[in-house]
Amino acid sequence: MHIVERGAFDIIQPQQNSVRVTLTLFGESENFTASVLPGGLFLYVPFFTVLQYLTGSTSGVFYVACAVGALLALTIINLCAVDIFAKIESGLAITKVCVIILFIILAFGIWVGLWGSDHFLGGSVNFGGDEGFVPQMFPKGMAIVFTSMTVVLVTFQGTEIVGLAAAEAQDPEKSVPRACKSVTYRIAGLYMVPILLIVLIYPWNLGTEDNPIFADIMNRYNMGFFGIIISAVVLIAAFSCANTGFYGTVRAMFGLSIEGLAPKFLSKLTKTSNPRNAALFTLLFMWIVLIIGLVSELTGAMSSLYANLLSLSGFTGTLAWVGICASQLVFRKRLKKRGYDPETCLKARVKKGQTWLPAFAMIAQIIFLIMMAFGEGQFPAFCLATASVIVPMIIRVIARKTGHVRNVNALSHDEKSFDETFPDLNK
């Protein structure tokens, strides 16, 4: 179940959106959009997997109905006003958190022997063999940790928006550290703890793409009723993930448009301040991806399509994080060049002992991106992801040289440019 930071999307508005800041700082590539376009496929695969478990149906018609129905609901919600989206997503987020907490309680009880098992399991489920700790900890080898890291990072994509939204608050010196700490605690409590408990109570070799793991755990320990409940919420989680991802992508397209980095028609708003053109443009590609995915699943062709698209999303999303880290480094360098001390002139400060983190994070993520090419079956996804970043840059350069670029740098009435905010003190 994906962790979705509800507050971030309640703050962002089309007229002044935080996603735009990330994209324009990163550069001229529109890679963020590419990372969420596969959302149509991400949505229907977990939908059908869980519904197949709940209903037992393997019908192709049922499969198509689930896929089309899910994306159709996503389409309708995101063509409505922003306040309707916020209400729906808030309810989905609260439901997910409650069920994650329920799973933690149930899994912990199974592990200590309160229910489901008649004794304390300890580490016997996955670490009870005669092999050493390392072979049991990494049954597929340690290299897979690095080659698959970009796929793992998909789960955390979106957390950066919390910091960006907090930076627009009235007191960023307090709200930014508070938001970052909050995200860290939520990742630890709502993501890492459930994974740790799964490792302690569920054999690793039983986990497959065709098996809803949360429900399978409950069935394994004779708690099938809770398995049904958790499976139902996994449907909500999958839908919520696609919903918020789509919302962010549309606002990113809108932001790119008003900055002159995307076609002008994408910046038009409806009477309810909904960037409908950007939504329809994004939906077009999501439906295309969905149709390709359905053909792939029903015919058996392109059997690795889902995994490759997941890798694509991880690659482009991770590259956006690299851009954020690079932007921070360049930003501080420019401040120093103009005679400012970043440790005193910025409202949201970084402790002196932590100034190395952006450079370290950037280098580590670049290594993970390169390692993706060496993962099993991931080289095609690596090539496609690289192309999705480089090709828009090439198109941008050609458009600029041929005079087909709109020189627009739209600022809201209460926004200032870098030059206005930090005039050169050396002059």
Side-chain angles (χ1 to χ4, degrees):
M1 284 180 279
H2 297 274
I3 302 173
V4 178
E5 298 303 330
R6 158 195 168 201
F9 293 99
D10 292 339
I11 295 174
I12 299 172
Q13 298 295 327
Q15 294 86 346
Q16 180 180 3
N17 91 64
S18 302
V19 181
R20 188 186 73 217
V21 179
T22 305
L23 290 164
T24 54
L25 282 174
F26 175 64
E28 298 173 346
S29 171
E30 301 172 17
N31 70 299
F32 182 84
T33 305
S35 71
V36 195
L37 287 180
L41 188 59
F42 292 164
L43 174 62
Y44 85 79
V45 170
F47 245 74
F48 179 75
T49 300
V50 177
L51 283 176
Q52 184 182 41
Y53 163 78
L54 293 174
T55 64
S57 175
T58 58
S59 167
V61 175
F62 180 70
Y63 191 90
V64 174
C66 290
V68 174
L71 191 51
L72 184 61
L74 190 73
T75 301
I76 294 172
I77 290 175
N78 283 277
L79 290 179
C80 295
V82 175
D83 58 337
I84 297 177
F85 169 89
K87 292 177 182 178
I88 293 175
E89 187 53 40
S90 296
L92 295 178
I94 292 172
T95 303
K96 289 186 294 181
V97 171
C98 290
V99 172
I100 290 174
I101 294 173
L102 172 63
F103 175 79
I104 291 174
I105 295 172
L106 294 174
F108 180 78
I110 293 172
W111 181 55
V112 299
L114 294 178
W115 45 70
S117 60
D118 55 4
H119 64 282
F120 175 60
L121 297 178
S124 60
V125 174
N126 282 311
F127 304 98
D130 297 329
E131 298 177 334
F133 175 77
V134 173
Q136 293 183 89
M137 186 67 182
F138 305 100
K140 295 289 186 177
M142 294 185 65
I144 197 172
V145 175
F146 300 96
T147 58
S148 301
M149 184 58 69
T150 53
V151 178
V152 175
L153 292 177
V154 172
T155 312
F156 300 95
Q157 287 174 13
T159 53
E160 72 282 354
I161 299 178
V162 178
L164 292 170
E168 294 185 356
Q170 296 296 327
D171 54 346
E173 65 273 14
K174 294 181 180 179
S175 60
V176 171
R178 187 185 304 122
C180 293
K181 290 179 181 179
S182 175
V183 171
T184 302
Y185 297 150
R186 293 182 188 188
I187 289 175
L190 300 178
Y191 187 80
M192 301 306 298
V193 171
I195 287 180
L196 175 61
L197 289 170
I198 289 174
V199 170
L200 292 173
I201 66 176
Y202 189 70
W204 69 269
N205 56 348
L206 295 183
T208 66
E209 294 180 356
D210 301 324
N211 229 12
I213 291 181
F214 289 98
D216 202 33
I217 290 174
M218 295 296 106
N219 290 334
R220 178 180 173 83
Y221 293 99
N222 299 317
M223 303 172 69
F225 172 73
F226 291 105
I228 295 175
I229 294 177
I230 293 176
S231 294
V233 177
V234 168
L235 293 178
I236 297 175
F239 185 84
S240 176
C241 178
N243 199 29
T244 51
F246 177 81
Y247 182 92
T249 301
V250 170
R251 269 61 189 179
M253 291 298 298
F254 173 84
L256 287 167
S257 179
I258 63 176
E259 293 287 353
L261 299 174
K264 188 176 181 179
F265 76 93
L266 296 176
S267 61
K268 292 184 179 179
L269 297 172
T270 63
K271 293 181 180 180
T272 58
S273 297
N274 191 328
R276 183 162 296 172
N277 286 353
L280 292 173
F281 183 77
T282 306
L283 279 168
L284 171 64
F285 289 95
M286 291 183 68
W287 278 100
I288 291 174
V289 171
L290 177 65
I291 293 171
I292 295 174
L294 286 174
V295 173
S296 169
E297 294 291 333
L298 295 176
T299 63
M302 299 182 293
S303 58
S304 60
L305 177 64
Y306 176 72
N308 286 337
L309 286 176
L310 190 62
S311 298
L312 171 63
S313 179
F315 184 98
T316 52
T318 302
L319 195 59
W321 286 355
V322 171
I324 293 174
C325 295
S327 300
Q328 180 66 213
L329 295 174
V330 172
F331 177 58
R332 289 175 173 271
K333 184 178 179 180
R334 291 183 65 188
L335 285 177
K336 292 179 180 179
K337 188 176 181 179
R338 294 194 172 202
Y340 294 91
D341 180 5
E343 306 305 327
T344 58
C345 70
L346 299 178
K347 292 183 178 181
R349 301 180 181 90
V350 178
K351 294 181 180 179
K352 291 185 178 181
Q354 299 177 349
T355 54
W356 57 273
L357 281 174
F360 173 79
M362 184 174 63
I363 294 172
Q365 290 176 96
I366 291 175
I367 292 174
F368 294 146
L369 292 177
I370 295 174
M371 290 294 294
M372 173 182 162
F374 301 95
E376 183 179 356
Q378 294 193 72
F379 186 72
F382 176 82
C383 295
L384 180 60
T386 304
S388 72
V389 175
I390 295 177
V391 171
M393 290 182 176
I394 296 175
I395 294 175
R396 173 71 177 180
V397 171
I398 295 174
R400 174 180 288 176
K401 290 185 176 181
T402 56
H404 292 85
V405 174
R406 292 185 293 119
N407 293 318
V408 179
N409 187 17
L411 294 174
S412 297
H413 67 280
D414 57 345
E415 292 181 320
K416 294 182 179 180
S417 67
F418 178 83
D419 292 332
E420 293 173 326
T421 306
F422 300 103
D424 195 341
L425 300 180
N426 299 321
K427 294 182 178 180

